[in-house]
Amino acid sequence: MTRTTSLLSAAVALATLLGATEGALAQGMCEQLWVERNSIFKARGYCFKTSRAISYFGNAGCVYDVESMVPLSPGERARVAQIRSMERQYGCR
């Protein structure tokens, strides 16, 4: 193996590692955003529909089946919109 080939292999390995790290960071950010957004809805009585959200937050005491009917303050609505924008930006599912 030549020095150039060795350096190229090292560069590819580093790029792969950095890509994986960025992916892991984005996934961690997606999880944090999901929890924050849904915590807002949980606090206001939303009844979750997905098994993931029900498992994480539960539905005890929920009263609103329709997300748009949940009585959020203007600040909460703005934060939810901001979080959704960030989730799109990070490619969250």
Side-chain angles (χ1 to χ4, degrees):
M1 189 182 285
T2 67
R3 180 168 166 74
T4 303
T5 304
S6 180
L7 288 174
L8 181 58
S9 295
V12 168
L14 180 60
T16 301
L17 177 62
L18 289 175
T21 301
E22 286 177 20
L25 289 173
Q27 190 57 36
M29 181 60 75
C30 288
E31 178 71 15
Q32 290 177 356
L33 292 168
W34 181 85
V35 169
E36 182 182 354
R37 177 173 49 81
N38 284 299
S39 292
I40 293 168
F41 283 103
K42 172 65 178 175
R44 296 297 187 196
Y46 180 63
C47 299
F48 294 102
K49 296 181 181 45
T50 67
S51 58
R52 177 184 178 199
I54 293 168
S55 175
Y56 192 93
F57 294 100
N59 269 339
C62 73
V63 293
Y64 300 98
D65 288 324
V66 179
E67 193 176 278
S68 64
M69 299 304 292
V70 178
L72 301 178
S73 71
E76 289 168 326
R77 287 209 185 277
R79 181 61 184 149
V80 167
Q82 183 182 38
I83 291 169
R84 286 192 171 132
S85 175
M86 292 171 71
E87 287 173 320
R88 284 189 299 275
Q89 188 177 15
Y90 284 109
C92 304
R93 30 177 192 99

